[in-house]
């Protein structure tokens, strides 16, 4: 027994910033951003909008799809590095807003946070399979942007994605890894509070960890690449996704993408893409879905989940 996904939801910041907007602010071009990253626009929090609002919207969508209420939840886990409060945890703020009463806590695993959170949730199901868990990936990562740094400012967006998990055997395999590194992707408290990234170093880590993790979970799940129906990669750079398509030899139509309109939304990237793909009607019951994430830590993780709704 592991768990099954019962519902999905997502929400994006309501302010849209296009590449053209950046052309007016920075020494950059729509052409550079599109060809180097695949991004055309990204959504950020509007003035007065909070990460809690995005997370609650995503959570409500997932609960509604699952046919459940906040009172039905046994745990809320939120993966984030940009919570509205330093303390309490983002998950507790979400719990309050939703009117849930269960334990709630955050985890910080960068852009891999959602896959890490699925692994943590799986531990609760091992103890008691008759529970409901809300797992949220939520980041307002543009809060940590230096808007004068063209090498990071154009890459990111704010969003939240959520899933409700319940009794079942949908999760077939999962791996998480970390390779502690404070040089390639970091943001230091009380220093300058901006994200710094050695883009090419992270790119190299991303492509190697992604291919390694996907091969592992596919093998652990007892399936082959031919059995995989959908692959959801962390939406960090279209060139990383293209590399994955080429290296894995899986047809490109099996890789849904939304990076062109979202940018990199950190821990929200995979669950938000999942929700969009589910709501487009692309998933059929019994299909195999692979997820793969990588990010600050340096962390990475991947999972194989059989689609059951
Ligand atoms: O979610 C966390 C995981 N993050 C990632 O996976 C990100 C991985 N890395 C990347 O996606 C890419 O490395 C970037 C998109 C960040 C950068 O692309 P790149 O092809 O690796 O470019 P680069 O860093 O090698 O920079 C090439 C040039 C440099 O100029 P010079 O030194 O050749 O004169 C940069 O200064 O491009 C310049 N550049 C820009 N030019 C116009 C960097 N950013 C920009 C920009 N507009 N926005």
């Amino acid at each position: 027994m592991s768990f099954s996904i019962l519902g999905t939801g997502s929400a994006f910041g309501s302010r849209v910033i296009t590449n053209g907007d950046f052309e007016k602010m920075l020494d950059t071009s729509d052409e550079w951003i599109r060809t180097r990253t695949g991004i055309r626009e990204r959504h950020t929090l509007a003035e007065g909008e909070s990460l809690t609002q995005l997370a609650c919207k995503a959570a409500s969508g997932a609960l509604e799809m699952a046919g459940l209420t906040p009172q039905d939840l046994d745990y809320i886990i939120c993966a984030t590095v940009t919570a509205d409060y330093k303390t309490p945890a983002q998950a507790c703020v979400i719990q309050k807003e939703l009117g849930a009463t269960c334990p709630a806590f955050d985890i910080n695993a960068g852009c891999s946070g959602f896959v890490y959170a699925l692994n943590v949730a799986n531990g609760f199901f091992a103890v008691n399979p008759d529970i409901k868990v809300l797992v949220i990936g939520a980041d307002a990562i543009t809060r940590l942007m230096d808007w004068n740094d063209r090498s990071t400012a154009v890459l990111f967006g704010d969003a939240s994605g959520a899933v409700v998990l319940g009794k079942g055997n949908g999760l077939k395999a999962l791996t998480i890894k970390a390779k502690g590194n404070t040089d390639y992707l970091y943001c230091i408290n009380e220093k300058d509070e901006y994200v710094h990234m050695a883009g090419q170093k992270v790119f190299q880590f991303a492509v190697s960890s992604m291919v390694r993790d996907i091969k592992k979970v596919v093998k652990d799940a007892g399936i082959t690449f031919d059995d995989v129906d959908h692959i959801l990669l962390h939406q960090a750079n279209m060139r990383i996704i293209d590399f994955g398509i080429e290296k894995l030899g899986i047809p490109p139509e099996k890789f849904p993408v939304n990076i062109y309109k979202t940018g990199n939304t950190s821990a929200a990237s995979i669950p938000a893409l999942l929700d969009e793909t589910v709501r487009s009607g692309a998933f059929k019951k019994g299909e195999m879905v692979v997820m793969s994430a990588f990010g600050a830590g340096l962390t990475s993780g991947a999972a194989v989940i059989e689609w059951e709704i």
Side-chain angles (χ1 to χ4, degrees):
M1 264 302 185
S2 54
F3 60 70
S4 291
I5 294 180
L6 308 181
T8 65
S10 62
F12 290 86
S14 51
R15 178 174 169 227
V16 176
I17 306 180
T18 65
N19 292 349
D21 294 331
F22 277 116
E23 282 179 337
K24 290 173 208 148
M25 295 157 54
L26 290 168
D27 179 17
T28 189
S29 66
D30 173 51
E31 208 259 334
W32 191 97
I33 302 170
R34 269 191 297 103
T35 54
R36 297 289 182 123
T37 72
I39 302 166
R40 291 167 189 269
E41 62 183 35
R42 67 290 288 146
H43 295 246
T44 68
L45 291 183
E47 205 156 323
E49 199 170 31
S50 67
L51 187 61
T52 303
Q53 287 170 333
L54 298 192
C56 287
K57 193 171 169 201
S60 299
L63 283 163
E64 195 185 340
M65 192 186 289
L68 296 170
T69 69
Q71 289 74 36
D72 296 321
L73 295 171
D74 295 284
Y75 296 96
I76 299 174
I77 309 173
C78 183
T80 187
V81 297
T82 52
D84 281 340
Y85 292 77
K86 263 195 177 138
T87 191
Q90 183 64 58
C92 290
V93 183
I94 295 164
Q95 187 242 40
K96 170 177 171 277
E97 289 301 315
L98 291 176
T101 52
C102 59
F105 60 97
D106 290 355
I107 64 168
N108 175 340
C111 300
S112 311
F114 178 73
V115 178
Y116 266 66
L118 290 181
N119 197 34
V120 173
N122 198 31
F124 290 125
F125 281 95
V127 176
N128 177 7
D130 286 308
I131 55 171
K132 305 283 188 293
V133 182
L134 173 63
V135 174
I136 303 165
D139 265 314
I141 198 82
T142 68
R143 282 175 168 158
L144 306 179
M145 283 307 114
D146 175 356
W147 294 108
N148 297 311
D149 177 4
R150 66 178 183 174
S151 72
T152 52
V154 303
L155 302 175
F156 295 95
D158 303 334
S160 178
V163 293
V164 174
L165 309 176
K167 188 175 184 172
N169 207 17
L171 178 71
K172 301 300 181 193
L174 192 151
T175 185
I176 52 172
K177 288 203 174 302
K179 190 177 179 189
N181 179 300
T182 53
D183 299 325
Y184 296 167
L185 182 49
Y186 62 92
C187 174
I188 306 178
N189 269 341
E190 279 126 37
K191 199 180 170 199
D192 57 17
E193 294 185 8
Y194 295 136
V195 163
H196 301 273
M197 181 164 72
Q200 288 192 2
K201 296 284 189 194
V202 179
F203 196 105
Q204 286 157 14
F205 169 77
V207 292
S208 60
S209 60
M210 176 179 75
V211 172
R212 178 202 61 210
D213 292 351
I214 291 174
K215 283 184 177 166
K216 175 168 171 47
V217 287
V218 165
K219 185 165 175 261
D220 290 352
I223 61 173
T224 69
F225 283 164
D226 288 343
D227 301 317
V228 173
D229 297 292
H230 308 276
I231 301 206
L232 280 65
L233 301 182
H234 173 41
Q235 304 286 292
N237 186 324
M238 197 59 215
R239 286 189 293 139
I240 296 176
I241 298 168
D242 287 338
F243 181 92
I245 292 170
E246 193 193 314
K247 206 76 185 159
L248 297 166
I250 296 174
E253 56 272 18
K254 292 190 175 183
F255 292 74
V257 290
N258 63 5
I259 185 171
Y260 60 93
K261 60 180 177 183
T262 64
N264 177 347
T265 59
S266 187
S269 172
I270 288 181
L273 178 64
L274 175 69
D275 181 53
E276 184 178 293
T277 315
V278 168
R279 286 176 194 269
S280 76
F283 287 3
K284 294 185 195 69
K285 207 170 169 176
E287 287 188 331
M288 288 293 175
V289 179
V290 172
M291 302 168 183
S292 166
F294 45 83
L298 298 167
T299 56
S300 71
V304 176
I305 297 178
E306 183 177 348
W307 199 249
E308 295 183 303
I309 52 176

